[in-house]
Amino acid sequence: MGNTFGHLFRITTFGESHGGGVGVVIDGCPPRLEISSEEIQFELDRRRPGQSKITTPRKEEDKCEILSGVFEGKTLGTPISILVRNKDTRSQDYDEMSVKYRPSHADATYDAKYGFRNWQGGGRSSARETIGRVAAGAIAKKILRQVAGVEVIAYVQRIKGLEGIIDVNTVTLADVESNIVRCPDAATADKMIELIEQTGRQGNSIGGVVECVARHVPKGLGEPVFDKLEADIAKAVMSLPASKGFEIGSGFDGTLLTGFEHNDEFYTDEDGEIRTLTNRSGGVQGGISNGENIIIRVAFKPTATIRKEQKTVTNEGEETVLAGKGRHDPCVLPRAVPMVEAMVALVLCDHLLRNHGQCKLL
Amino acid sequence: MGNTFGHLFRITTFGESHGGGVGVVIDGCPPRLEISSEEIQFELDRRRPGQSKITTPRKEEDKCEILSGVFEGKTLGTPISILVRNKDTRSQDYDEMSVKYRPSHADATYDAKYGFRNWQGGGRSSARETIGRVAAGAIAKKILRQVAGVEVIAYVQRIKGLEGIIDVNTVTLADVESNIVRCPDAATADKMIELIEQTGRQGNSIGGVVECVARHVPKGLGEPVFDKLEADIAKAVMSLPASKGFEIGSGFDGTLLTGFEHNDEFYTDEDGEIRTLTNRSGGVQGGISNGENIIIRVAFKPTATIRKEQKTVTNEGEETVLAGKGRHDPCVLPRAVPMVEAMVALVLCDHLLRNHGQCKLL
Amino acid sequence: MGNTFGHLFRITTFGESHGGGVGVVIDGCPPRLEISSEEIQFELDRRRPGQSKITTPRKEEDKCEILSGVFEGKTLGTPISILVRNKDTRSQDYDEMSVKYRPSHADATYDAKYGFRNWQGGGRSSARETIGRVAAGAIAKKILRQVAGVEVIAYVQRIKGLEGIIDVNTVTLADVESNIVRCPDAATADKMIELIEQTGRQGNSIGGVVECVARHVPKGLGEPVFDKLEADIAKAVMSLPASKGFEIGSGFDGTLLTGFEHNDEFYTDEDGEIRTLTNRSGGVQGGISNGENIIIRVAFKPTATIRKEQKTVTNEGEETVLAGKGRHDPCVLPRAVPMVEAMVALVLCDHLLRNHGQCKLL
Amino acid sequence: MGNTFGHLFRITTFGESHGGGVGVVIDGCPPRLEISSEEIQFELDRRRPGQSKITTPRKEEDKCEILSGVFEGKTLGTPISILVRNKDTRSQDYDEMSVKYRPSHADATYDAKYGFRNWQGGGRSSARETIGRVAAGAIAKKILRQVAGVEVIAYVQRIKGLEGIIDVNTVTLADVESNIVRCPDAATADKMIELIEQTGRQGNSIGGVVECVARHVPKGLGEPVFDKLEADIAKAVMSLPASKGFEIGSGFDGTLLTGFEHNDEFYTDEDGEIRTLTNRSGGVQGGISNGENIIIRVAFKPTATIRKEQKTVTNEGEETVLAGKGRHDPCVLPRAVPMVEAMVALVLCDHLLRNHGQCKLL
């Protein structure tokens, strides 16, 4: 019952890591938007495992098919359904998983809740579920760009203790895609790649922080009081697998300042636009966008799947040990970048429609 | 359109800081729950300004009236409407505010969105709106306690750089209420109080972190994939005024660990219950509660209202300066404690109802 | 959990027939709409019992108070909360009702569902609940009129076997209000009034049909496939107390025609507008308004409360008899007229906002 | 944005009559329900055109594939996605439709709303969309049967002026399926079939009434005040293509009775259960099921597609004529039977979950 997100631009994802496939139904997409499966595939390829030496080598093709909602290359305003087939290769790796709970995975809680689960991989809790989100996000980003020139750009800001220095005002998609770790600070990126490779060789994993900036966001997005823009974005990204924390603007560090230091003073720019001199608010005041850059950060824990042996129990409660077999993903951060972008874009697009309706937007 | 929160236990708040009053309609409350306006008033009094020397001296009585949904001291299962009247004292303090935008307040964004606002105080963006949340939270906490023995306890964990040391397993409401800053570490609390008073004398303000623990939460709360428990809690608390960040379990610090260090190993306890040896997950795995303590933290920025002069503009875009008049609240954290408790309780109660329905719960 | 209606223009009603009061919170109302409590009171007075000799003589003043959302006579875009206090006069009439279930009332089903009920009158199932709907409908009608010149006019079309002849193209509010039975066919109205009075003297009750026309509805309202305009209107009016049937356009009688007879042929009018020659569709095709008059009918059963003795049981299941005491309402139809208008207006207004958003509408 | 139905048992349909396919995502289905694609296919075959000589001869195979949510023959509690591929045969019949609006179809209103449409057949407004509903309904019916022994049986009650006499207490699925018109009154069924064939030969079409009974519905389903059981059912069936009216229990005819005649008196049956002597309420009182048979009727207009020439306009507004080409469906009623069953079952199942939650139901 929690597989739908959004109020007017609304997505419903479906699918487990094993079974027929995964996908999404997008309801509320404005009509007459030009969209192709290639544009969606571009984002899916960024999300895909096995795209570089530092991500999990599991080969997934993840070719998407648009089943409905698009006619002669343009959206109809009806639900857009997108399907990505699973390669149904039952690995022996999964045999052990049918009885043993993987530490810090969702195996045990799914069993507790549903009394039944698809133990072939992560089932519904697999990161494979995010395919539907990223596909929908590709469309949301296109709408935002086309309607209002909004750019949504995420990147790896930190891996473990290695922190990149990135200018939120100028960073581009090309910068982000210029290296496989998706940190647009080349020197730090090299160190990050080395750390990930080394960690992978040890059968271990690491986490970090993804930052996302949305530029040129129109003023007035966000609905007081519960659907504040930052509240909706927080929910959006905290629903991604492995996320443990969220910040907007000054975030946790902002609590170390005084009000006098923290407040964003107003001024009027050359175009007569009311602006703020600083942006500790992160582009949102009172839950409503103020036209400045929206800047958020998401903490991702180190991947739970590792090749080192750890204590666990079986579904019968017997104590045992478990070590991930074969290949694993030592760091999910580079693949999390398009996921964060997608979620932020989905929220912004939903609020854009709340302000303007579906049909008059384009 | 964003004034409703929750799916089955659903609240709708209303009211501006000035006008007839503020309040809440609670839809979905289980029938036959004993509830009195005194129990609700207890929580409202914790939220109320002017309750101690370190909170804003603005006197508000905030007496609540239950308008519907309760009969002979018990809930009917119908909507519970609770009203708190405003004292409609138009202050001259507000005259300046009708034209000047207060920095880091919602004045400018409300004007941008609605083209009109109640400039007498914060209007809808005032913290006064949280009265409805706290009233509803009082009921949610009672349901949680009665149905499942769940305890939801929040407290001030940090004020600016001053950090309390608190044991999440043992901290009680009495501990929290033992001092006016609501930090259950007495020594640190004293320093915090001193810092707040000193800051207030300077006309400045400070922020910090509220931590909240929910103990004895049943396994199985939370709905994959978008309504994960931590996602719903994140949205809940990020919709509170002045919140800038959210963490669950290991949070941002967890990104500094490896997977081997971070994973929570499983064991079976003396009662045959599957448990985790550590709790870096913060009580939630795969978006579903695992029976361990749910532990979250919320960053609150320093209050925007200060008595120091700052640059700003008028609603016509003219540059000017503004300084808060008279009294101000140098630190919102002690009053934020019951707000965070309320929001966490509302989410847990909503998910409890999703698992069991409204009418069979009690 | 079912006390909220609408998606973007969203109302939540609260209150029982006895207790503090009844009312409504309206979320999503466009900002900058001029509205006064007098305009709302006008509609409440049309709904009020005791307004004429043929309605129930129970005296209710039903004075409304706007608690929030309006400032200096204009809407803020924030929730509008409206309260009508109950006169808490516990009648001895109600003593018997605490144990005996009134036939064809909701006493037994509320007890079955909630295990508890307010037996002082109808509680939440009382027609008094519709005060909130009618108050919200007054605002919806004003928005519709102001934004698009839409007129929503309901009237009594039939009482028992007495059927009025009314021209949907020309009927006005003044016509409807020209007699106490609200049937704008004067000759039939007289007979209806006589029949109602005679029925009342016998301690019995009668029902009938309310028809509602919405003129000048813009093309394009309604969302395929589940939120078709007629589906949303059907739900809206079938949620009114005592309603047993719904029709749009040709309705049940249309099933007696062939497709050739039933289809609405298209033509282009002098303004170049695409129109239909007939209107058996009732203004909606494929769930979307086509610009023609929207015409619907609602069947209301005879009021369940009568003064004649009938068989019933107590809440313990003991068989007994019951007769309504004192005064009763022999025919709810005249008072149902503003209720139907309100519900149709709420749906149209909600769909108008879906097309245009909240803030840009006015 | 209106492609989702239900609150806890929630379906989202997708797909146009032409394009990749049509289908449904079902969110909230209880885990551990045994379900096979054969069970779903059984209902789809009842809905399918071309199943008998009196329905449209268009051949559609409509083979369904379960893409997700089912593992080892049992539901996982995760979204169940079901896909039926379209046979993408572009007919020349459709060429004319790209410019001419078919009378009483949705062509013109879709163009008015979206500014664009799939003119190859009905697009999203095609009855083909109901495949997803019927597939979901198959699962809902199984849950209802398994959890509470609820039987949902619909049948053709009237075709034009030919009315069947059916006993709602005893009618079975076998009775309904015993003839191709799905009227379980054999003598009338023969006349109906003859009338349909004759009408078809004339290139014309006819409508009628589908009745549906739900037996053994538990007491307590339905949520006052807007989500009354009859209100939700009304919306459900009024969202079906070609429906023009809805009744519950005594319906429109009930308005001809007095209250004394209409009221359902209570008694206590041999099992101590509180029952009603009559059932003019149709199984619902105050919006809540009372344990009696739920009985509803839906009016379906004569199919809009006929082979006779009618006046219409082009999308440019030019006046012209149009006659349906080739084959057409002279009467949709037999195929509407499984659609009505599905919609009623979906509502009941949704309310069952509201009372009991998703995971504890089975």
Side-chain angles (χ1 to χ4, degrees), chain C residues 195-206:
Chain C
L195 179 61
I196 294 171
E197 290 187 306
Q198 179 193 328
T199 305
R201 283 191 299 269
Q202 294 165 351
N204 210 338
S205 66
I206 46 179

Side-chain angles (χ1 to χ4, degrees), chain B residues 129-168:
Chain B
E129 176 272 330
T130 61
I131 284 177
R133 306 181 186 215
V134 169
I139 296 176
K141 283 201 283 186
K142 183 153 191 192
I143 294 168
L144 289 166
R145 202 163 50 233
Q146 199 154 311
V147 170
V150 178
E151 293 172 295
V152 180
I153 299 173
Y155 42 84
V156 171
Q157 191 254 340
R158 183 158 63 72
I159 297 279
K160 213 166 182 255
L162 296 170
E163 192 159 353
I165 294 168
I166 298 112
D167 182 345
V168 294

Side-chain angles (χ1 to χ4, degrees), chain A residues 288-309:
Chain A
I288 301 169
S289 63
N290 66 355
E292 306 297 326
N293 290 339
I294 292 178
I295 302 165
I296 63 117
R297 278 171 298 282
V298 189
F300 288 94
K301 68 173 186 179
T303 324
T305 304
I306 55 175
R307 289 205 316 273
K308 288 169 175 282
E309 190 174 281

Side-chain angles (χ1 to χ4, degrees), chain D residues 28 88 109 121 134 229 258 297 353:
Chain D
D88 223 350
T109 49
V134 170
L229 202 54
T258 67
R297 278 171 298 282
L353 263 74

Side-chain angles (χ1 to χ4, degrees), chain D residues 171 188 357:
Chain D
V171 62
T188 309

Side-chain angles (χ1 to χ4, degrees), chain C residues 10-169:
Chain C
R10 194 194 285 182
I11 71 167
T12 302
T13 69
F14 60 86
E16 286 77 45
S17 56
H18 294 72
V22 298
V24 66
V25 181
I26 303 159
D27 195 6
C29 184
R32 306 180 307 280
L33 177 77
E34 287 186 31
I35 195 78
S36 67
S37 56
E38 287 71 28
E39 291 169 280
I40 294 163
Q41 194 64 49
F42 172 77
E43 294 293 340
L44 292 185
D45 289 346
R46 295 176 74 205
R47 192 218 71 91
R48 192 165 49 85
Q51 58 185 280
S52 82
K53 61 180 176 178
I54 58 168
T55 61
T56 172
R58 186 182 175 200
K59 271 276 177 285
E60 306 179 60
E61 280 197 5
D62 292 355
K63 286 295 166 207
C64 70
E65 180 189 6
I66 300 175
L67 291 170
S68 67
V70 177
F71 177 61
E72 299 183 335
K74 284 187 289 187
T75 57
L76 285 161
T78 61
I80 301 169
S81 181
I82 300 170
L83 173 65
V84 172
R85 290 279 174 186
N86 288 332
K87 301 269 177 238
D88 222 349
T89 51
R90 294 199 183 202
S91 167
Q92 292 134 301
D93 301 4
Y94 294 133
D95 282 357
E96 210 173 2
M97 284 167 54
S98 69
V99 288
K100 292 184 183 178
Y101 291 145
R102 291 168 298 160
S104 286
H105 272 276
D107 305 340
T109 49
Y110 268 66
D111 255 6
K113 186 175 186 79
Y114 300 112
F116 184 52
R117 73 190 161 95
N118 184 340
W119 43 261
Q120 302 167 300
R124 183 69 182 147
S125 75
S126 161
R128 212 172 149 69
E129 176 272 332
T130 62
I131 284 177
R133 307 181 185 214
V134 170
I139 296 175
K141 282 200 283 186
K142 184 153 191 191
I143 294 168
L144 288 165
R145 200 162 52 233
Q146 199 153 313
V147 170
V150 178
E151 294 172 293
V152 180
I153 298 174
Y155 42 84
V156 171
Q157 190 254 341
R158 182 160 62 72
I159 297 279
K160 211 165 184 258
L162 298 170
E163 193 159 353
I165 294 168
I166 299 111
D167 182 346
V168 295
N169 293 300

